Amino acid sequence: MRLRPCIGRRGRNASTSVRFDPVTAELVRLGTLLEVVVQAVALQDEADAVILGCARPGEVPCEVARVGRAVAGQYGRLCGWVADLVVTAGSGPLPRRTGELLRYHLAMIDTALKLAFPKCRSERLERHRLALTGLGAPARELRDVEFALRERIVELESSR
């Protein structure tokens, strides 16, 4: 018995793509971006704790490295998701800035861990390590991005 492909009324080469109206597409994109930002903001306390744990005088406990590695991994995953959104969505200013802020968070954790657990110690590296104070202003900016995304989504939903 031989199976033949089923050919509908539109013919073999007919396109079956689904098209969303632009508002719905933007809502889906911004909703997805908001979920990523919410997760990133929720990690900020852990990230600050890792950075401050690395900045304490004396020997840094290995537990700080374990937690830092896990937090960095989560930020890395979120960076990848935002990068995918920027590529597929035409990259407006909010998704691009979100990606930049997440990469900053990841870089700060990475730098703190490298300073706390260097291959070779020096006074200069030690001064930099002890000067770490946390995520700083970019953490506040990421929370502002979350608020701006929520406002934009509400605005789009009310215009439907």
Side-chain angles (χ1 to χ4, degrees):
M1 171 186 265
R2 223 171 112 195
L3 297 175
R4 293 184 304 143
C6 182
I7 300 173
R9 291 183 186 193
R10 290 188 268 162
R12 176 173 264 151
N13 295 327
S15 175
T16 59
S17 65
V18 175
R19 294 177 194 227
F20 291 110
D21 68 294
V23 174
T24 302
E26 182 73 358
L27 278 170
V28 169
R29 184 175 70 87
L30 292 178
T32 304
L33 185 61
L34 177 62
E35 287 303 314
V36 171
V37 171
V38 166
Q39 289 182 33
V41 167
L43 286 171
Q44 285 180 337
D45 289 338
E46 284 183 80
D48 270 332
V50 167
I51 294 168
L52 295 175
C54 290
R56 287 194 186 114
E59 197 67 29
V60 178
C62 290
E63 183 61 28
V64 172
R66 279 194 225 45
V67 172
R69 183 175 164 211
V71 172
Q74 291 173 335
Y75 272 120
R77 180 176 44 86
L78 295 174
C79 285
W81 289 352
V82 169
D84 289 344
L85 283 170
V86 168
V87 168
T88 61
S91 69
L94 218 47
R96 271 182 284 155
R97 185 61 184 150
T98 301
E100 292 167 357
L101 290 169
L102 291 179
R103 285 189 299 277
Y104 167 84
H105 282 55
L106 179 59
M108 280 300 296
I109 295 168
D110 183 57
T111 301
L113 291 171
K114 285 180 178 173
L115 289 172
F117 302 98
K119 291 183 180 180
C120 59
R121 295 196 184 277
S122 72
E123 286 184 31
R124 186 172 129 295
L125 290 177
E126 191 66 11
R127 277 194 313 274
H128 286 295
R129 179 179 77 85
L130 295 174
L132 294 172
T133 59
L135 293 171
R140 288 186 296 279
E141 188 176 347
L142 188 62
R143 291 189 296 270
D144 292 343
V145 166
E146 178 184 3
F147 181 74
L149 283 169
R150 289 184 191 282
E151 282 186 333
R152 180 72 178 130
I153 289 170
V154 167
E155 179 183 307
L156 285 172
E157 286 176 339
S158 66
S159 71
R160 289 174 86 185

mmCIF file of all heavy atoms in Angstrom, residues 80-110:
data_model
loop_
_atom_site.group_PDB
_atom_site.id
_atom_site.type_symbol
_atom_site.label_atom_id
_atom_site.label_comp_id
_atom_site.label_asym_id
_atom_site.label_seq_id
_atom_site.Cartn_x
_atom_site.Cartn_y
_atom_site.Cartn_z
ATOM 1 N N GLY A 80 20.623 34.768 26.611
ATOM 2 C CA GLY A 80 20.349 34.055 25.366
ATOM 3 C C GLY A 80 18.916 34.239 24.904
ATOM 4 O O GLY A 80 18.649 34.432 23.715
ATOM 5 N N TRP A 81 17.994 34.185 25.842
ATOM 6 C CA TRP A 81 16.584 34.378 25.490
ATOM 7 C C TRP A 81 16.343 35.779 24.940
ATOM 8 O O TRP A 81 15.629 35.963 23.954
ATOM 9 C CB TRP A 81 15.690 34.112 26.680
ATOM 10 C CG TRP A 81 15.593 32.668 27.068
ATOM 11 C CD1 TRP A 81 16.095 31.601 26.377
ATOM 12 C CD2 TRP A 81 14.987 32.146 28.231
ATOM 13 N NE1 TRP A 81 15.823 30.442 27.058
ATOM 14 C CE2 TRP A 81 15.140 30.739 28.204
ATOM 15 C CE3 TRP A 81 14.335 32.711 29.312
ATOM 16 C CZ2 TRP A 81 14.662 29.905 29.190
ATOM 17 C CZ3 TRP A 81 13.846 31.884 30.307
ATOM 18 C CH2 TRP A 81 14.008 30.494 30.244
ATOM 19 N N VAL A 82 16.921 36.786 25.598
ATOM 20 C CA VAL A 82 16.740 38.157 25.121
ATOM 21 C C VAL A 82 17.397 38.326 23.755
ATOM 22 O O VAL A 82 16.844 38.989 22.878
ATOM 23 C CB VAL A 82 17.297 39.177 26.142
ATOM 24 C CG1 VAL A 82 17.362 40.576 25.552
ATOM 25 C CG2 VAL A 82 16.429 39.186 27.390
ATOM 26 N N ALA A 83 18.545 37.722 23.549
ATOM 27 C CA ALA A 83 19.200 37.797 22.240
ATOM 28 C C ALA A 83 18.299 37.218 21.156
ATOM 29 O O ALA A 83 18.203 37.770 20.061
ATOM 30 C CB ALA A 83 20.543 37.075 22.271
ATOM 31 N N ASP A 84 17.634 36.119 21.459
ATOM 32 C CA ASP A 84 16.691 35.533 20.495
ATOM 33 C C ASP A 84 15.533 36.482 20.219
ATOM 34 O O ASP A 84 15.092 36.620 19.075
ATOM 35 C CB ASP A 84 16.149 34.206 21.006
ATOM 36 C CG ASP A 84 17.178 33.095 20.991
ATOM 37 O OD1 ASP A 84 18.211 33.256 20.306
ATOM 38 O OD2 ASP A 84 16.955 32.070 21.661
ATOM 39 N N LEU A 85 15.037 37.138 21.243
ATOM 40 C CA LEU A 85 13.935 38.090 21.052
ATOM 41 C C LEU A 85 14.368 39.284 20.209
ATOM 42 O O LEU A 85 13.613 39.760 19.363
ATOM 43 C CB LEU A 85 13.413 38.586 22.404
ATOM 44 C CG LEU A 85 12.531 37.631 23.176
ATOM 45 C CD1 LEU A 85 12.287 38.161 24.582
ATOM 46 C CD2 LEU A 85 11.215 37.430 22.467
ATOM 47 N N VAL A 86 15.572 39.763 20.428
ATOM 48 C CA VAL A 86 16.061 40.921 19.683
ATOM 49 C C VAL A 86 16.215 40.565 18.208
ATOM 50 O O VAL A 86 15.830 41.330 17.333
ATOM 51 C CB VAL A 86 17.400 41.427 20.266
ATOM 52 C CG1 VAL A 86 18.063 42.434 19.350
ATOM 53 C CG2 VAL A 86 17.165 42.036 21.638
ATOM 54 N N VAL A 87 16.725 39.385 17.913
ATOM 55 C CA VAL A 87 16.927 38.970 16.528
ATOM 56 C C VAL A 87 15.600 38.794 15.806
ATOM 57 O O VAL A 87 15.430 39.234 14.679
ATOM 58 C CB VAL A 87 17.747 37.660 16.464
ATOM 59 C CG1 VAL A 87 17.718 37.055 15.081
ATOM 60 C CG2 VAL A 87 19.166 37.923 16.899
ATOM 61 N N THR A 88 14.639 38.163 16.454
ATOM 62 C CA THR A 88 13.375 37.856 15.785
ATOM 63 C C THR A 88 12.375 39.001 15.802
ATOM 64 O O THR A 88 11.421 38.987 15.058
ATOM 65 C CB THR A 88 12.694 36.628 16.425
ATOM 66 O OG1 THR A 88 12.418 36.914 17.793
ATOM 67 C CG2 THR A 88 13.563 35.401 16.292
ATOM 68 N N ALA A 89 12.592 40.003 16.622
ATOM 69 C CA ALA A 89 11.568 41.028 16.793
ATOM 70 C C ALA A 89 11.913 42.374 16.165
ATOM 71 O O ALA A 89 11.208 43.332 16.371
ATOM 72 C CB ALA A 89 11.296 41.220 18.285
ATOM 73 N N GLY A 90 12.982 42.443 15.423
ATOM 74 C CA GLY A 90 13.313 43.723 14.841
ATOM 75 C C GLY A 90 14.029 44.648 15.810
ATOM 76 O O GLY A 90 14.346 45.772 15.483
ATOM 77 N N SER A 91 14.267 44.207 16.995
ATOM 78 C CA SER A 91 15.075 44.864 18.021
ATOM 79 C C SER A 91 14.757 46.337 18.249
ATOM 80 O O SER A 91 15.446 47.220 17.775
ATOM 81 C CB SER A 91 16.555 44.673 17.744
ATOM 82 O OG SER A 91 16.959 45.370 16.607
ATOM 83 N N GLY A 92 13.746 46.579 19.011
ATOM 84 C CA GLY A 92 13.440 47.925 19.456
ATOM 85 C C GLY A 92 14.404 48.322 20.556
ATOM 86 O O GLY A 92 15.250 47.542 20.976
ATOM 87 N N PRO A 93 14.295 49.544 21.054
ATOM 88 C CA PRO A 93 15.250 50.003 22.074
ATOM 89 C C PRO A 93 15.126 49.257 23.407
ATOM 90 O O PRO A 93 16.137 49.012 24.059
ATOM 91 C CB PRO A 93 14.915 51.479 22.241
ATOM 92 C CG PRO A 93 13.558 51.656 21.659
ATOM 93 C CD PRO A 93 13.358 50.573 20.652
ATOM 94 N N LEU A 94 13.933 48.885 23.804
ATOM 95 C CA LEU A 94 13.756 48.204 25.089
ATOM 96 C C LEU A 94 14.378 46.807 25.111
ATOM 97 O O LEU A 94 15.116 46.483 26.044
ATOM 98 C CB LEU A 94 12.270 48.152 25.444
ATOM 99 C CG LEU A 94 11.889 48.346 26.893
ATOM 100 C CD1 LEU A 94 12.566 49.520 27.546
ATOM 101 C CD2 LEU A 94 10.391 48.469 27.029
ATOM 102 N N PRO A 95 14.146 45.964 24.110
ATOM 103 C CA PRO A 95 14.808 44.657 24.114
ATOM 104 C C PRO A 95 16.333 44.761 24.042
ATOM 105 O O PRO A 95 17.044 44.027 24.718
ATOM 106 C CB PRO A 95 14.257 43.953 22.876
ATOM 107 C CG PRO A 95 12.952 44.609 22.613
ATOM 108 C CD PRO A 95 13.133 46.034 23.054
ATOM 109 N N ARG A 96 16.831 45.704 23.242
ATOM 110 C CA ARG A 96 18.287 45.860 23.147
ATOM 111 C C ARG A 96 18.882 46.291 24.473
ATOM 112 O O ARG A 96 19.904 45.771 24.905
ATOM 113 C CB ARG A 96 18.646 46.870 22.066
ATOM 114 C CG ARG A 96 18.798 46.223 20.701
ATOM 115 C CD ARG A 96 19.205 47.223 19.678
ATOM 116 N NE ARG A 96 17.983 47.974 19.400
ATOM 117 C CZ ARG A 96 17.927 49.213 18.945
ATOM 118 N NH1 ARG A 96 18.996 49.861 18.678
ATOM 119 N NH2 ARG A 96 16.781 49.808 18.742
ATOM 120 N N ARG A 97 18.249 47.254 25.129
ATOM 121 C CA ARG A 97 18.767 47.738 26.424
ATOM 122 C C ARG A 97 18.671 46.636 27.468
ATOM 123 O O ARG A 97 19.564 46.502 28.314
ATOM 124 C CB ARG A 97 17.996 48.986 26.871
ATOM 125 C CG ARG A 97 18.554 49.607 28.120
ATOM 126 C CD ARG A 97 19.984 50.046 27.926
ATOM 127 N NE ARG A 97 20.536 50.560 29.171
ATOM 128 C CZ ARG A 97 21.810 50.492 29.498
ATOM 129 N NH1 ARG A 97 22.688 49.970 28.672
ATOM 130 N NH2 ARG A 97 22.218 50.960 30.653
ATOM 131 N N THR A 98 17.619 45.846 27.425
ATOM 132 C CA THR A 98 17.482 44.728 28.358
ATOM 133 C C THR A 98 18.645 43.764 28.187
ATOM 134 O O THR A 98 19.238 43.312 29.172
ATOM 135 C CB THR A 98 16.138 44.000 28.135
ATOM 136 O OG1 THR A 98 15.076 44.922 28.320
ATOM 137 C CG2 THR A 98 15.977 42.842 29.094
ATOM 138 N N GLY A 99 18.982 43.457 26.953
ATOM 139 C CA GLY A 99 20.122 42.573 26.691
ATOM 140 C C GLY A 99 21.415 43.143 27.243
ATOM 141 O O GLY A 99 22.225 42.427 27.839
ATOM 142 N N GLU A 100 21.615 44.442 27.058
ATOM 143 C CA GLU A 100 22.824 45.086 27.580
ATOM 144 C C GLU A 100 22.878 45.004 29.101
ATOM 145 O O GLU A 100 23.926 44.729 29.686
ATOM 146 C CB GLU A 100 22.862 46.554 27.142
ATOM 147 C CG GLU A 100 23.065 46.755 25.661
ATOM 148 C CD GLU A 100 22.790 48.187 25.212
ATOM 149 O OE1 GLU A 100 22.383 49.020 26.050
ATOM 150 O OE2 GLU A 100 22.975 48.462 24.011
ATOM 151 N N LEU A 101 21.750 45.251 29.746
ATOM 152 C CA LEU A 101 21.713 45.213 31.214
ATOM 153 C C LEU A 101 21.957 43.798 31.739
ATOM 154 O O LEU A 101 22.661 43.610 32.736
ATOM 155 C CB LEU A 101 20.374 45.744 31.723
ATOM 156 C CG LEU A 101 20.161 47.252 31.524
ATOM 157 C CD1 LEU A 101 18.713 47.622 31.807
ATOM 158 C CD2 LEU A 101 21.112 48.050 32.398
ATOM 159 N N LEU A 102 21.390 42.799 31.087
ATOM 160 C CA LEU A 102 21.612 41.416 31.527
ATOM 161 C C LEU A 102 23.067 41.005 31.328
ATOM 162 O O LEU A 102 23.643 40.321 32.180
ATOM 163 C CB LEU A 102 20.679 40.462 30.791
ATOM 164 C CG LEU A 102 19.201 40.582 31.138
ATOM 165 C CD1 LEU A 102 18.388 39.589 30.330
ATOM 166 C CD2 LEU A 102 18.963 40.390 32.615
ATOM 167 N N ARG A 103 23.671 41.440 30.231
ATOM 168 C CA ARG A 103 25.091 41.137 30.022
ATOM 169 C C ARG A 103 25.949 41.822 31.080
ATOM 170 O O ARG A 103 26.953 41.271 31.540
ATOM 171 C CB ARG A 103 25.527 41.535 28.611
ATOM 172 C CG ARG A 103 25.013 40.565 27.548
ATOM 173 C CD ARG A 103 25.624 40.826 26.182
ATOM 174 N NE ARG A 103 25.328 42.148 25.651
ATOM 175 C CZ ARG A 103 24.219 42.468 25.005
ATOM 176 N NH1 ARG A 103 23.284 41.555 24.792
ATOM 177 N NH2 ARG A 103 24.036 43.701 24.542
ATOM 178 N N TYR A 104 25.566 43.030 31.498
ATOM 179 C CA TYR A 104 26.272 43.717 32.579
ATOM 180 C C TYR A 104 26.183 42.913 33.874
ATOM 181 O O TYR A 104 27.188 42.716 34.559
ATOM 182 C CB TYR A 104 25.688 45.125 32.789
ATOM 183 C CG TYR A 104 26.157 45.754 34.082
ATOM 184 C CD1 TYR A 104 27.378 46.409 34.145
ATOM 185 C CD2 TYR A 104 25.398 45.649 35.241
ATOM 186 C CE1 TYR A 104 27.822 46.956 35.341
ATOM 187 C CE2 TYR A 104 25.832 46.196 36.434
ATOM 188 C CZ TYR A 104 27.049 46.853 36.481
ATOM 189 O OH TYR A 104 27.490 47.374 37.673
ATOM 190 N N HIS A 105 24.970 42.451 34.207
ATOM 191 C CA HIS A 105 24.794 41.658 35.429
ATOM 192 C C HIS A 105 25.704 40.426 35.394
ATOM 193 O O HIS A 105 26.390 40.112 36.371
ATOM 194 C CB HIS A 105 23.334 41.213 35.562
ATOM 195 C CG HIS A 105 22.402 42.278 36.065
ATOM 196 N ND1 HIS A 105 22.280 43.505 35.473
ATOM 197 C CD2 HIS A 105 21.522 42.274 37.101
ATOM 198 C CE1 HIS A 105 21.378 44.218 36.125
ATOM 199 N NE2 HIS A 105 20.901 43.497 37.118
ATOM 200 N N LEU A 106 25.709 39.742 34.274
ATOM 201 C CA LEU A 106 26.534 38.548 34.115
ATOM 202 C C LEU A 106 28.017 38.889 34.233
ATOM 203 O O LEU A 106 28.782 38.184 34.920
ATOM 204 C CB LEU A 106 26.239 37.894 32.763
ATOM 205 C CG LEU A 106 27.014 36.636 32.403
ATOM 206 C CD1 LEU A 106 26.791 35.538 33.439
ATOM 207 C CD2 LEU A 106 26.608 36.151 31.012
ATOM 208 N N ALA A 107 28.443 39.981 33.606
ATOM 209 C CA ALA A 107 29.852 40.384 33.658
ATOM 210 C C ALA A 107 30.280 40.758 35.072
ATOM 211 O O ALA A 107 31.411 40.456 35.488
ATOM 212 C CB ALA A 107 30.101 41.549 32.701
ATOM 213 N N MET A 108 29.400 41.401 35.820
ATOM 214 C CA MET A 108 29.745 41.778 37.199
ATOM 215 C C MET A 108 29.953 40.547 38.074
ATOM 216 O O MET A 108 30.893 40.505 38.878
ATOM 217 C CB MET A 108 28.648 42.664 37.802
ATOM 218 C CG MET A 108 28.725 44.100 37.373
ATOM 219 S SD MET A 108 30.269 44.910 37.825
ATOM 220 C CE MET A 108 30.206 44.863 39.609
ATOM 221 N N ILE A 109 29.087 39.561 37.938
ATOM 222 C CA ILE A 109 29.252 38.334 38.722
ATOM 223 C C ILE A 109 30.543 37.630 38.315
ATOM 224 O O ILE A 109 31.319 37.189 39.161
ATOM 225 C CB ILE A 109 28.034 37.404 38.550
ATOM 226 C CG1 ILE A 109 26.788 38.057 39.140
ATOM 227 C CG2 ILE A 109 28.281 36.044 39.198
ATOM 228 C CD1 ILE A 109 25.502 37.370 38.770
ATOM 229 N N ASP A 110 30.777 37.538 37.020
ATOM 230 C CA ASP A 110 31.984 36.896 36.512
ATOM 231 C C ASP A 110 33.242 37.600 37.020
ATOM 232 O O ASP A 110 34.187 36.956 37.488
ATOM 233 C CB ASP A 110 31.949 36.888 34.985
ATOM 234 C CG ASP A 110 33.138 36.172 34.383
ATOM 235 O OD1 ASP A 110 33.343 34.990 34.721
ATOM 236 O OD2 ASP A 110 33.860 36.789 33.573
#
